[in-house]
Structures are given as structure tokens and as C-alpha cells.
Amino acid sequence: MGTNDIFILAIESSCDETSAAVIADGKVLNNIVATQSVHEKYGGVVPELASRAHQENLIPVVQEAILSSGISKDQLSAVAFTRGPGLMGSLLVGVSFAKAFAFGRNIPLIEVNHMNAHILAHFIEDPKPDFPFICLTVSGGHTQLVLVKDHLDMKVIGETLDDAVGEAFDKTAKLLGLPYPGGPLIDNYAKAGNPKAFQFPITRMPGLNYSFSGIKTAVLYFLRDQLKDNPKFIEENLSDLCASIQYSLVEMLLIKLKAAVKEYGVKEVAIAGGVSANSGLRESLSRLAEQKGWNLYIPKFEYCTDNAAMIAMAAHYKYLKGEFSSMDVTPLAKMKI
């Protein structure tokens, strides 16, 4: 490694995963993640518990990232952090640590938008998409269609007007009596089910926008009616229910994605975010891409969920453009691309 190498320490603490990574000249050297299991018994992320867990996990995670990178902290060129969007208490932990670290080492600070970073996870490893491309970003808090013109030039062209698709997965899973996080469990049960066993509504919004609150209500009333006649309806039909719910949610995602590709005339297509780990979405999208002749990019599972490697990648491109933050930067619970 030369004397002019760019080494950046990146920190991610937007929700319930504490993560740190080191990137050297655009090559991610590691991606250390500490997952919080404390939320499972509450059926969702508890913000106060999340921020406390970040406080416990952050220093060990950062220490491991620096040690395993083979780079000393004296060699670091900058420290990057997630500014938002996310849980305010969780973000505060990461931002405060990054500011203190940067001040102590006298190196620049780089703020990163979490949603931009999910998209830039595609540049961690080959193959990388060509510009422009359309990215379907799907997570517990966001569902967006983004036109990506360059690493730091992105435009949201469609988004959900209520629930994110990840919320829809988790909320319907809760109605089925599945523990949190329910999305991955729906995916697992769906593999053994018939996606056409039950019909749930496909919500059609104007333009390229989404709405996912309707399916939750439809499932609620459907289960209520079925359970009146058969109290064991859910357990007897769990796989088919999961497959049918997943089919409807994936179909809604793909209808708008097809429309966006047609409208913008782009054949480079990517997915990002936690829900992009869903096997039903991956398989349906792969089939669709083959039919339509799209070049499809799907990130590795470890880069789908919240991680510092994607924060590091976003920070690398911001460093090259000299986009640094001041010491009075504060976290933002809501932050637009």
C-alpha cells in the first residue's frame, strides 16, 4: 500500500445493527456486524434498547474492524458515519463516536445517507452496474425506485405512500402469529406453499408510487373470517398463506419496476436493502429480467441488510469529491436522497 492510499473507517448505527468497516482505495477490507437479539421478545425494534446496545457494541466492533484490516488508526484518512435516516437515538451513538474519533485523530468526517449507501453496495464487488440504472430499494422503512445517474447523483422516481414493503411483511407475519422479524419467516414458509392458493389485493397507485397498507388490512379481515369457521385455519394453511402474501407483495414491486424501466428506457436494473434478501423477490426478478433482457444486479446477502461496508463505499466516492462534514453535524431521523 502506497503513502497516498485513502483509508476510511465507516460506522453504521441507523437501526438495530452495529457495524464498522475499513475501505482502502475503494476496496472494502472487512465488514464487522454485531446484531441485536434483544428486540425479538418485543415484536419489533425498541429504540431505547437499540441505542443502548449500540453503545455497548460500537467500540469492540470498531476495534475489530481496524485490527483485522491490517491498517493502524494512524493511517486512516477519514471516518464516515450514517447521518440518517434511522432511529434518532441509534444515529446519535454513531455520529457522536465518529465526531470524537475524527477530532482525536484530526481527520475529516464524512456523512453518508443510509439509502444512498444501500444502492452503492453494488460497487463493493463485481459485477457493477453501468450508469444510468434503476434501483429498487426495499427495506423495513423504505420502498423506493431510484434512477441512479452516477455514484452521487440519484433521483427518487417512485416510493411508498404509507407502509414500506418490509413493514408489510412483518405486519402480516404478526397476523399469522409468527415472531419478529417475520419477513424472513414468511419467505421460508412460502417455499413450501402455493402462491395462488389465496388471492390478496394488488394495490395500484398513480405513477410509480406504491401503497402496502391495504394488503395488511385485507389479510386481517380474511383471517378473521376464516378463523370463525376453522380455529386451526392458519396452522393448517401456513405455507400457502405465506406464499400467497409474498406473491402479492412481490407482484406489486415488480409492476412498478417494469413501468419505471419502460418509462426511462433503462435496461440496467438493481435491487438493494434488507428485503432484497427475500428469495421470492430474487427469483421472480431474475425470471423477469431474463424475459425482458435486463442486466440484473443483486447484492450478496451480507450487503443487503444494514452494514458498514456500504457506508464505506459511499464515503469513498464522497472523499474523492472532497465532500466532508463539519463538527457541528447532527443526525437526521428523516433524510432524503
Side-chain angles (χ1 to χ4, degrees):
M1 293 182 185
T3 54
N4 296 318
D5 292 323
I6 302 165
F7 302 127
I8 302 170
L9 168 68
I11 293 160
E12 155 60 20
S13 70
S14 64
C15 191
D16 62 340
E17 262 137 352
T18 315
S19 184
V22 174
I23 189 169
D25 284 333
K27 180 176 173 55
V28 173
L29 302 182
N30 52 32
N31 184 40
I32 313 301
V33 181
T35 303
Q36 302 174 7
S37 58
V38 67
H39 309 283
E40 289 171 11
K41 60 183 174 184
Y42 298 104
V45 177
V46 181
E48 177 61 25
L49 294 178
S51 53
R52 288 183 191 180
H54 284 305
Q55 287 179 307
E56 292 171 11
N57 294 337
L58 189 54
I59 290 175
V61 162
V62 167
Q63 191 169 19
E64 188 178 341
I66 293 172
L67 285 172
S68 65
S69 72
I71 293 163
S72 77
K73 58 181 182 288
D74 297 327
Q75 291 175 275
L76 290 170
S77 316
V79 57
F81 62 94
T82 303
R83 186 181 183 190
L87 301 174
M88 184 56 83
S90 295
L91 292 167
L92 270 168
V93 176
V95 174
S96 301
F97 180 90
K99 286 164 79 169
F101 192 96
F103 183 78
R105 308 302 313 164
N106 193 28
I107 55 176
L109 267 176
I110 303 173
E111 65 180 74
V112 172
N113 182 311
H114 182 83
M115 300 311 295
N116 289 61
H118 267 307
I119 295 168
L120 292 175
H122 284 284
F123 293 89
I124 295 172
E125 293 181 353
D126 290 330
K128 301 176 176 75
D130 291 327
F131 299 113
F133 66 93
I134 287 175
C135 187
L136 172 63
T137 311
V138 279
S139 68
H142 295 82
T143 301
Q144 296 176 332
L145 282 166
V146 183
L147 179 65
V148 186
K149 300 174 187 175
D150 203 349
H151 299 107
L152 301 177
D153 185 3
M154 304 180 190
K155 179 187 176 187
V156 176
I157 55 176
E159 60 190 331
T160 182
L161 302 179
D162 41 57
D163 288 354
V165 69
E167 283 179 279
F169 270 110
D170 286 338
K171 286 177 178 178
T172 50
K174 197 171 183 180
L175 295 174
L176 295 172
L178 299 176
Y180 177 85
L185 293 173
I186 285 186
D187 189 17
N188 284 335
Y189 283 114
K191 289 170 185 172
N194 174 10
K196 302 290 180 69
F198 307 106
Q199 270 199 312
F200 296 111
I202 304 291
T203 308
R204 297 182 186 273
M205 301 299 288
L208 297 174
N209 289 328
Y210 293 99
S211 170
F212 294 102
S213 60
I215 190 167
K216 177 192 66 179
T217 309
V219 171
L220 174 69
Y221 290 138
F222 175 76
L223 293 176
R224 182 196 64 183
D225 294 343
Q226 296 298 324
L227 288 168
K228 280 179 191 172
D229 299 327
N230 178 9
K232 291 188 173 182
F233 178 78
I234 292 175
E235 60 183 279
E236 289 173 359
N237 297 277
L238 186 56
S239 293
D240 284 348
L241 283 164
C242 289
S244 300
I245 289 167
Q246 182 162 286
Y247 173 80
S248 298
L249 290 170
V250 169
E251 192 66 13
M252 280 190 261
L253 290 171
L254 298 187
I255 286 168
K256 295 296 185 178
L257 179 59
K258 280 188 281 188
V261 169
K262 186 176 180 183
E263 184 174 332
Y264 286 89
V266 173
K267 292 277 188 174
E268 300 278 304
V269 176
I271 55 170
V275 181
S276 65
N278 178 279
S279 64
L281 175 58
R282 285 172 172 245
E283 288 162 16
S284 297
L285 188 49
S286 296
R287 283 196 300 270
L288 180 62
E290 201 171 327
Q291 289 168 12
K292 299 285 187 181
W294 300 345
N295 295 322
L296 180 62
Y297 303 89
I298 301 177
K300 274 188 177 178
F301 283 108
E302 66 190 281
Y303 302 133
C304 291
T305 51
D306 296 346
N307 66 88
M310 67 183 194
I311 305 299
M313 187 54 66
H316 172 74
Y317 293 113
K318 294 192 85 170
Y319 187 98
L320 294 178
K321 292 204 168 187
E323 293 187 16
F324 304 121
S325 303
S326 65
M327 276 291 172
D328 59 2
V329 63
T330 55
L332 297 172
K334 293 184 178 180
M335 192 176 180
K336 292 190 174 181
I337 282 182

